[in-house]
Amino acid sequence: MFSASQSSKAQFLDKARQAREERRELKERERAAVQIQALIRRFLCRCRLQKEIRREVEDFFGANESGSSKRSALSIFRIARKLLFVFNHKEDKERFEKLCRCILNSMDVENEPKVWYVSLALSKDLTLLWIKQIKDILWFCCEFLKQLKPDILQDSKLVNLHLTMLVTFTDTSTWKILRGKGETLRPAMNHICANIMGHLNQKGFYSVLQILLTNGLARSRPSLSKGSLTAIFSLALRPVVAAQFSDNLLRSFLIHIMSVPAIMTHLATLTPERLTVIESHDLFRKFVLFLSREAQCRDVCVCLEGSHTLCLLGNLVYLGSLNDKVLEEETAHFVGVLIHMLSYCQKYVSQKKSNLTHWHPVLGWFSQTVDYGLNESMPLLTKQLQYLWGVHMIRILFSDVLSKKLLENQEIAQLPTQPVSPQNSLPMKNLFKRAFQKSASVRNILKPVGGKRVDSAEVQKVCSICVLYQTTLTTLTQIRLQILTGLTYLDDLLPKLWAFICELGPQGGLKLFLECLNNDTEESKRLLAMLMLFCDCSRHLITILDDIEVYEEQISFKLEELVTISSFLNSFVFKMIWDGIVENARGETLELFHSVHGWLMVLYERDCRRRFAPEDHWLRKDLKPSVLFQELDKDKKRAQLLLQYIPHVIPHKNRVLLFRNMVTKEKEKLGLVETSSASPHVTHITIRRSRMLEDGYEQLRQLSQNAMKGVIRVKFVNDLGVDEAGIDQDGVFKEFLEEIIKKVFDPALNLFKTTSGDERLYPSPTSYIHENYLQLFEFVGKMLGKAVYEGIVVDVPFASFFLSQLLGHHHSVFYSSIDELPSLDSEFYKNLTSIKRYDGDISDLGLTLSYDEDVMGQLVCHELVPGGKTIPVTNENKISYIHLMAHFRMHTQIKSQTAALISGFRSIIKPEWIRMFSAPELQRLISGDNAEIDLEDLKKHTVYYGGFHGSHRVIIWLWDILGNDFSPEERAMFLKFVTSCSRPPLLGFAYLKPPFSIRCVEVSDDQDTGDTLGSVLRGFFTIRKKEPGGRLPTSSTCFNLLKLPNYSKKSILREKLRYAISMNTGFELS
């Protein structure tokens, strides 16, 4: 019973709770319903009100358009107030446009003050309300301007409408209410305008103008009309002028307006009157002075970031080119501003592509996001920047340097000119006569004279300008060549800058710059930047000038100046390396080294091709080769760097010695040298004389690299397969090598061709007719490498351009194909350079970017660029055509053949071994010294056999005939007769392998059994077996052996020897 009562109580309480909750929920629903109804009623009421207002507005504008009566300013104010009350950007776009037109129409009415919308500003009750309304209307105009696209016709009309609203109500000049008696109201009205302008500025007025300008101008063709651009620029200028060019507004103007890509160029094209306004306000000076304060310049750059900073810089440069007077007066500030801005951009310029970089068409890889919308305007920006290195601005900025006079000395000018005699009309003699005898100092700048204080205002100014251009070169990486070309356009700038450098410091340039390297001061860096700019520009100039312009016309630099400059550069680079500066160089110091070294090597290579410097000019007298070799053995860094960068300061013979030492060390390392404990591995090959090339190719091409470098023994067999007599102790291999090289380089085989002038060898473009021609070229490369490796000189004269490729010079950024072209075809070179100098319209010649060639009776057209046969050669692209043509003839045509030969050559000779030689020096390494034969040296290193000795009368006659009766040409023929090469070994006859030998013979070669005891005794005591007068001297070139009969008379010896060498008898195995 108790439990039942408890259960009923719980049920009762539960029901009561449920009833309570139901009542609460009901109340909530009722309240929610009331609330929803209120919201709906409010929404519907608002919608009705909005509809009524919009209908009223439309009725108002409808009546206004019908033109029944002119609306009063008050009615416009009221209807505008209503429209602004319900304004929605999307829905009320057209109504707002009608309102703007209505307001503007009211302002155009004549002599009806009550209609003028601006008249409400004079009403005491409505002034504040009117000011607020016009502020709102003008800001809505700005909002619409941000969204409009000026390139769309309909949008461009709306742009004009909203701009007209802004122009009308931010300046009182068009307000008719202020005419006549109303003039007294102008100050008050100006104040209202200033108030409106201030409000717009606070809301972001300049950002709006920037967006509009960028949309309309950042493209290949501007879409803003003249009127629109004039209006925008006038609006942008108004706050600045009103605020009397305050720092805040100058900053906004620079950040938002002057950073629009090429805006100044567009103003000059579309509305040049605006540039006059800029000039009248002296804005360029104000911009420069504002930015000359470092903190303000940094603030502007940070706000703009890289790409837009560059746009601002372009506009400032363009303005500077139009304001000579300001530029001259504010040069220091202008240069400082540009340096700061370029340095800011440079922080983001990256050397390589990565996930964090973006491509910029002027700056290269850039570590900030690039606004690709600006890409279309980059050509215009580049044109603006070009004014910086244009002739006009260079003349203004470098006025102190260019004002120097580089006239001849008075005494030298008065010297009588001597007539040229036939003796001194030879090119080299005449060149040195001009350069050193006629005028040791044609200009007063050949020797570093010193005397100019480096802290003087003039020097500091020139240093700053050089820093500017150097920063430009390192920042605007993609137009670097344009900049260098601009800086070298004036022929007298670089010589005068060199004269300026020579005058610096108490003792002249070199000492000062070497001191600067050890000083880490700002002044030192600026001085070194001057040197760096001079080197970069001069190197570019000398690279693009051809030989006629350098040697005959002597454009920019006289030859004697190049001699002095190269001496300076040589000393400077040597000191940088030898004093250990390069070892630890980083950043700017390393860049300076590469600049100076780059130009030095351009001059050195030019001198190697065609001399302008005196003998031993490039050597360093204070560098002892023995000291260098000791340091190289100890792996000293400075010695290695010297050999890497400027090997030419070491005498040539010492470098050859070094090369031979390198080869010997490698042979020892590979176990290719005979020692007491071990013998090197020997490779034996059998060669048929009638198929020497084929057998040699088949047996040697399969050998490993080390086997090719090792000892190779050759056994010759005749056509019947019978072994020839003779034991190969390097001599037979030498003959085999010489014969192989003689065959493969024979132009008749068509692996190689000869040049048209001096008949020097280079790979034949039509060599592809041979089967496996690339393997053949690789084999030739190995054979040539083996000859150099073993020190066997071979008489193979290569074309200079081909030697450059063998050395790898053609991969250098300073390499110029056109300079090497004379070594291939001098006539073709003359024809190409005549195109360069052609004064008329080159397109009249009907040339295209292609090359027609007769290949085995068929005319083949080679395109120099894709589609080249349809691209005409014009005055604009003729320089490219010349270089493309030269590159095609010397590289493209024989690219695969050259690559194969180089691959074979480098498998034997390491590239770093021959990098220390120039092209002519490499030819001497291959073919021996081109100096006259030193008979004393030959006599000293000759070995005698068969009874001959140094005091034998036949030997005395022989040396006398060679020394006194034979001409240098005949002596060369004699050497070729015995050794197969007309040139002596580079290091002298001590290095001839096998040594030069002379043996006495008494019988014919087929009966000659060598040195018997009887023949030796008879020869030694000059006992003749029989008169050998009818026999000729013979030779075994494989052993460098002269076989000489024991003649009875000197005259017979002379006659027979002369006949033998002229007929080239001999040349067989002994």
Side-chain angles (χ1 to χ4, degrees):
M1 183 179 173
F2 183 73
S3 61
S5 65
Q6 275 188 336
S7 174
S8 61
K9 184 180 178 181
Q11 286 174 353
F12 174 77
L13 289 173
D14 192 42
K15 285 179 182 176
R17 183 177 56 74
Q18 285 177 359
R20 249 191 340 272
E21 284 179 2
E22 284 173 5
R23 286 194 300 275
R24 191 173 70 249
E25 280 177 18
L26 185 65
K27 283 181 183 176
E28 281 294 322
R29 280 199 295 273
E30 285 174 355
R31 191 166 71 253
V34 170
Q35 210 166 3
I36 288 167
Q37 286 171 0
L39 283 168
I40 292 293
R41 280 197 298 272
R42 189 167 68 190
F43 173 72
L44 293 172
C45 182
R46 197 163 66 246
C47 285
R48 279 197 302 274
L49 180 62
Q50 285 174 349
K51 278 184 182 177
E52 286 172 15
I53 290 173
R54 286 187 175 112
R55 195 181 301 116
E56 190 180 339
V57 169
E58 282 175 2
D59 291 342
F60 179 84
F61 290 135
N64 190 47
E65 284 169 9
S66 65
S68 55
S69 61
K70 291 173 185 172
R71 301 288 183 175
S72 68
L74 189 60
S75 64
I76 295 171
F77 171 77
R78 285 173 180 159
I79 207 72
R81 200 172 179 193
K82 288 179 179 179
L83 178 61
L84 294 176
F85 177 68
V86 297
F87 188 71
N88 178 284
H89 271 89
K90 286 184 180 177
E91 285 187 47
D92 298 312
K93 186 169 172 282
E94 289 184 15
R95 295 182 187 92
F96 185 76
E97 290 163 17
K98 288 177 181 177
L99 173 64
C100 291
R101 288 193 180 92
C102 185
I103 290 171
L104 291 173
N105 289 338
S106 77
M107 295 294 288
D108 287 337
V109 177
E110 295 288 339
N111 302 321
E112 293 195 38
K114 288 187 178 180
V115 176
W116 296 330
Y117 177 68
V118 78
S119 63
L120 297 175
L122 303 175
S123 165
K124 285 183 182 179
D125 300 331
L126 297 176
T127 301
L128 294 176
L129 292 172
W130 180 83
I131 289 171
K132 183 181 183 313
Q133 187 180 87
I134 194 65
K135 283 179 180 177
D136 291 343
I137 290 171
L138 293 181
W139 183 246
F140 284 138
C141 286
C142 292
E143 293 276 329
F144 280 117
L145 283 172
K146 277 199 283 189
Q147 298 163 7
L148 295 170
K149 306 290 180 194
D151 52 330
I152 301 170
L153 181 62
Q154 190 57 39
D155 279 15
S156 69
K157 291 179 181 177
L158 296 178
V159 165
N160 287 336
L161 173 66
H162 297 309
L163 284 175
T164 308
M165 280 293 292
L166 287 163
V167 167
T168 304
F169 292 101
T170 53
D171 186 73
T172 60
S173 57
T174 58
W175 294 2
K176 291 173 181 166
I177 197 168
L178 300 180
R179 291 179 187 168
K181 293 179 181 177
E183 189 64 40
T184 53
L185 302 171
R186 192 173 292 278
M189 291 301 190
N190 282 340
H191 188 70
I192 289 172
C193 282
N195 186 289
I196 293 167
M197 208 70 248
H199 171 77
L200 292 175
N201 280 338
Q202 281 181 341
K203 298 271 280 184
F205 181 56
Y206 275 115
S207 297
V208 172
L209 296 182
Q210 183 181 14
I211 291 167
L212 183 59
L213 283 167
T214 305
N215 287 341
L217 300 179
R219 49 186 55 247
S220 50
R221 291 184 62 185
S223 56
L224 285 174
S225 64
K226 176 181 178 178
S228 299
L229 187 57
T230 305
I232 296 168
F233 199 76
S234 299
L235 285 168
L237 212 51
R238 277 177 185 174
V240 182
V241 175
Q244 295 182 328
F245 309 98
S246 69
D247 283 356
N248 273 345
L249 283 157
L250 275 175
R251 176 183 178 276
S252 295
F253 193 87
L254 285 164
I255 290 171
H256 297 289
I257 308 302
M258 289 299 289
S259 68
V260 173
I263 185 172
M264 292 297 120
T265 303
H266 290 300
L267 285 176
T269 309
L270 294 172
T271 170
E273 303 84 23
R274 294 301 98 194
L275 291 179
T276 313
V277 172
I278 290 173
E279 197 175 337
S280 67
H281 288 302
D282 204 12
L283 265 183
F284 175 60
R285 190 193 304 270
K286 290 180 171 68
F287 290 152
V288 169
L289 292 175
F290 174 82
L291 292 168
S292 65
R293 283 167 277 179
E294 195 175 325
Q296 292 176 174
C297 189
R298 192 186 309 112
D299 170 46
V300 168
C301 290
V302 169
C303 288
L304 289 175
E305 294 191 329
S307 294
H308 289 278
T309 300
L310 197 65
C311 295
L312 169 60
L313 189 130
N315 285 316
L316 286 175
V317 167
Y318 184 76
L319 267 185
S321 70
L322 302 175
N323 291 271
D324 293 1
K325 185 170 178 289
V326 178
L327 198 59
E328 287 166 10
E329 292 170 2
E330 304 294 345
T331 298
H333 287 133
F334 176 71
V335 169
V337 166
L338 295 194
I339 290 171
H340 194 97
M341 291 170 79
L342 284 164
S343 301
Y344 179 80
C345 291
Q346 197 179 31
K347 286 195 297 185
Y348 301 99
V349 174
S350 179
Q351 293 301 314
K352 58 185 178 180
K353 179 183 180 180
S354 73
N355 293 334
L356 302 174
T357 57
H358 306 266
W359 179 252
H360 190 286
V362 174
L363 300 165
W365 290 112
F366 200 63
S367 60
Q368 284 185 331
T369 52
V370 175
D371 183 353
Y372 290 104
L374 297 181
N375 277 8
E376 280 191 65
S377 56
M378 279 302 149
L380 278 174
L381 171 60
T382 307
K383 278 187 179 176
Q384 282 190 323
L385 292 170
Q386 282 169 356
Y387 284 97
L388 181 58
W389 49 87
V391 172
H392 184 68
M393 197 167 287
I394 285 175
R395 285 195 190 282
I396 292 172
L397 296 182
F398 279 110
S399 56
D400 291 349
V401 172
L402 290 167
S403 62
K404 295 177 76 67
K405 290 190 176 179
L406 298 179
L407 299 174
E408 281 87 357
N409 291 342
Q410 289 303 311
E411 311 112 70
I412 287 165
Q414 292 164 8
L415 280 175
T417 310
Q418 294 182 349
V420 177
S421 62
Q423 288 81 5
N424 64 18
S425 63
L426 293 168
M428 280 307 296
K429 280 188 178 178
N430 197 24
L431 189 66
F432 287 121
K433 198 170 184 71
R434 278 211 319 271
F436 297 106
Q437 292 176 12
K438 177 175 171 263
S439 57
S441 174
V442 171
R443 298 174 176 176
N444 295 321
I445 64 170
L446 293 188
K447 293 180 181 177
V449 289
K452 196 171 289 235
R453 288 178 62 87
V454 292
D455 56 356
S456 65
E458 181 193 4
V459 173
Q460 290 301 309
K461 179 185 172 186
V462 175
C463 282
S464 294
I465 294 160
C466 290
V467 170
L468 165 63
Y469 284 112
Q470 195 54 43
T471 313
T472 308
L473 285 169
T474 50
T475 307
L476 312 181
T477 57
Q478 298 311 296
I479 51 174
R480 181 182 170 87
L481 289 179
Q482 281 187 36
I483 301 165
L484 289 168
T485 304
L487 289 167
T488 55
Y489 188 80
L490 284 176
D491 287 344
D492 57 342
L493 175 62
L494 292 173
K496 288 179 177 178
L497 189 57
W498 171 244
F500 191 83
I501 286 170
C502 287
E503 292 176 2
L504 295 176
Q507 292 168 307
L510 180 62
K511 188 169 173 56
L512 172 72
F513 287 112
L514 288 171
E515 285 172 2
C516 287
L517 286 171
N518 299 312
N519 298 335
D520 197 26
T521 62
E522 199 59 40
E523 188 180 80
S524 295
K525 286 179 182 176
R526 288 155 67 86
L527 284 164
L528 291 171
M530 181 196 297
L531 178 62
M532 196 168 162
L533 181 75
F534 172 69
C535 290
D536 284 345
C537 293
S538 303
R539 180 186 65 209
H540 178 75
L541 175 69
I542 295 296
T543 304
I544 60 177
L545 293 180
D546 58 45
D547 282 359
I548 296 169
E549 291 165 325
V550 172
Y551 292 91
E552 272 83 44
E553 297 172 5
Q554 298 190 28
I555 289 174
S556 280
F557 291 108
K558 302 292 180 193
L559 288 176
E560 52 270 26
E561 289 164 18
L562 292 181
V563 171
T564 313
I565 293 167
S566 58
S567 177
F568 167 88
L569 298 173
N570 213 30
S571 300
F572 189 80
V573 172
F574 174 74
K575 291 283 186 186
M576 279 192 84
I577 294 172
W578 206 243
D579 293 350
I581 295 167
V582 177
E583 287 177 46
N584 310 307
R586 297 282 182 279
E588 290 170 355
T589 310
L590 198 58
E591 284 176 22
L592 170 72
F593 174 75
H594 288 309
S595 286
V596 181
H597 174 259
W599 192 30
L600 171 67
M601 295 316 291
V602 166
L603 288 174
Y604 174 68
E605 283 163 22
R606 178 80 75 163
D607 185 60
C608 289
R609 244 187 358 262
R610 183 175 169 185
R611 292 288 299 278
F612 64 79
E615 200 71 38
D616 296 341
H617 170 74
W618 303 98
L619 301 180
R620 289 292 304 181
K621 303 291 188 293
D622 52 345
L623 175 67
K624 291 182 179 176
S626 56
V627 174
L628 178 71
F629 291 174
Q630 284 170 15
E631 295 209 359
L632 283 169
D633 289 337
K634 294 174 186 174
D635 288 334
K636 289 282 184 74
K637 188 71 176 172
R638 69 175 187 175
Q640 292 170 344
L641 288 170
L642 194 79
L643 205 59
Q644 180 186 344
Y645 287 109
I646 48 168
H648 59 255
V649 301
I650 310 160
H652 178 240
K653 288 206 171 179
N654 293 102
R655 276 179 281 144
V656 176
L657 209 59
L658 190 61
F659 170 75
R660 298 264 40 115
N661 288 345
M662 288 172 174
V663 172
T664 305
K665 279 182 183 175
E666 189 187 74
K667 282 185 174 183
E668 289 169 357
K669 188 179 174 184
L670 297 173
L672 303 176
V673 180
E674 185 92 41
T675 62
S676 55
S677 58
S679 293
H681 172 74
V682 177
T683 303
H684 293 276
I685 60 172
T686 304
I687 303 293
R688 291 170 291 176
R689 275 199 182 271
S690 58
R691 293 181 59 80
M692 194 179 290
L693 178 57
E694 293 85 344
D695 288 356
Y697 171 68
E698 284 302 324
Q699 293 185 56
L700 292 178
R701 74 187 184 94
Q702 304 296 343
L703 292 183
S704 67
Q705 190 172 315
N706 286 355
M708 274 297 293
K709 290 180 178 180
V711 179
I712 300 172
R713 292 273 183 256
V714 178
K715 180 179 284 187
F716 282 119
V717 296
N718 61 22
D719 290 343
L720 299 173
V722 179
D723 291 358
E724 289 187 0
I727 300 166
D728 182 11
Q729 292 298 327
D730 296 332
V732 179
F733 177 72
K734 175 177 178 283
E735 184 196 1
F736 162 71
L737 192 63
E738 287 167 348
E739 282 291 299
I740 283 274
I741 285 174
K742 186 179 174 185
K743 284 179 185 292
V744 294
F745 287 107
D746 183 353
L749 188 63
N750 195 35
L751 275 178
F752 287 83
K753 277 182 79 171
T754 54
T755 57
S756 58
D758 47 5
E759 296 195 337
R760 291 184 163 264
L761 293 159
Y762 69 99
S764 169
T766 56
S767 55
Y768 57 79
I769 61 171
H770 290 281
E771 192 180 352
N772 301 329
Y773 73 104
L774 292 180
Q775 287 93 324
L776 266 172
F777 272 104
E778 189 174 357
F779 172 69
V780 172
K782 286 179 179 178
M783 289 293 97
L784 191 64
K786 179 68 173 171
V788 174
Y789 194 77
E790 299 297 345
I792 299 170
V793 289
V794 286
D795 209 350
V796 184
F798 285 115
S800 173
F801 79 90
F802 180 68
L803 289 166
S804 293
Q805 293 183 44
L806 205 55
L807 287 165
H809 288 173
H810 59 298
H811 294 306
S812 165
V813 290
F814 314 126
Y815 181 80
S816 172
S817 298
I818 197 74
D819 291 337
E820 294 273 22
L821 189 58
S823 70
L824 171 66
D825 190 337
S826 55
E827 198 58 40
F828 188 67
Y829 171 75
K830 282 178 189 172
N831 293 338
L832 278 185
T833 48
S834 67
I835 289 172
K836 180 180 176 179
R837 289 171 171 74
Y838 188 73
D839 291 332
D841 187 355
I842 204 78
S843 57
D844 294 342
L845 301 180
L847 298 169
T848 59
L849 294 182
S850 61
Y851 173 62
D852 294 329
E853 185 186 24
D854 184 1
V855 180
M856 292 179 285
Q858 284 190 325
L859 193 67
V860 178
C861 178
H862 304 281
E863 292 189 328
L864 303 178
V865 293
K869 61 184 176 186
T870 61
I871 303 171
V873 177
T874 62
N875 286 348
E876 286 70 36
N877 67 8
K878 67 180 181 182
I879 300 298
S880 295
Y881 168 74
I882 291 166
H883 284 272
L884 285 168
M885 185 68 89
H887 188 267
F888 176 80
R889 285 289 307 273
M890 294 191 298
H891 299 272
T892 313
Q893 260 194 322
I894 56 171
K895 186 178 180 182
S896 53
Q897 293 94 321
T898 305
L901 188 142
I902 289 173
S903 169
F905 185 79
R906 288 183 178 174
S907 69
I908 310 294
I909 303 293
K910 292 181 180 177
E912 56 268 27
W913 289 354
I914 56 168
R915 206 170 281 148
M916 54 184 164
F917 301 109
S918 64
E921 288 170 343
L922 179 60
Q923 181 66 67
R924 287 163 68 189
L925 195 67
I926 294 168
S927 301
D929 208 334
N930 51 8
E932 204 169 301
I933 297 165
D934 184 348
L935 285 177
E936 288 302 316
D937 184 45
L938 178 58
K939 194 188 299 185
K940 186 177 171 185
H941 296 100
T942 298
V943 180
Y944 302 102
Y945 298 106
F948 277 159
H949 50 85
S951 302
H952 194 287
R953 64 175 187 180
V954 174
I955 299 302
I956 293 169
W957 291 342
L958 175 68
W959 295 125
D960 188 52
I961 289 165
L962 288 172
N964 300 319
D965 297 346
F966 274 21
S967 65
E969 291 75 21
E970 286 176 314
R971 284 194 285 273
M973 287 165 67
F974 168 76
L975 190 62
K976 184 165 186 175
F977 175 72
V978 181
T979 67
S980 82
C981 187
S982 58
R983 296 177 177 185
L986 271 179
L987 299 173
F989 288 99
Y991 286 83
L992 184 66
K993 295 290 181 347
F996 192 89
S997 312
I998 304 175
R999 185 148 68 85
C1000 176
V1001 292
E1002 297 177 326
V1003 291
S1004 60
D1005 279 339
D1006 56 352
Q1007 295 174 310
D1008 183 16
T1009 56
D1011 295 337
T1012 63
L1013 181 61
S1015 68
V1016 170
L1017 288 170
R1018 282 195 299 273
F1020 193 82
F1021 294 108
T1022 325
I1023 302 168
R1024 290 193 305 280
K1025 192 174 180 181
K1026 62 179 180 178
E1027 176 58 55
R1031 294 199 54 233
L1032 291 171
T1034 56
S1035 67
S1036 291
T1037 55
C1038 54
F1039 290 109
N1040 299 324
L1041 173 65
L1042 173 65
K1043 293 184 282 187
L1044 199 61
N1046 192 355
Y1047 293 112
S1048 59
K1049 292 182 182 177
K1050 183 180 178 182
S1051 58
I1052 297 173
L1053 172 59
R1054 181 170 52 239
E1055 177 195 336
K1056 297 297 181 186
L1057 186 61
R1058 187 169 269 152
Y1059 181 78
I1061 65 171
S1062 62
M1063 298 305 292
N1064 201 17
T1065 59
F1067 204 73
E1068 70 277 333
L1069 187 67
S1070 178

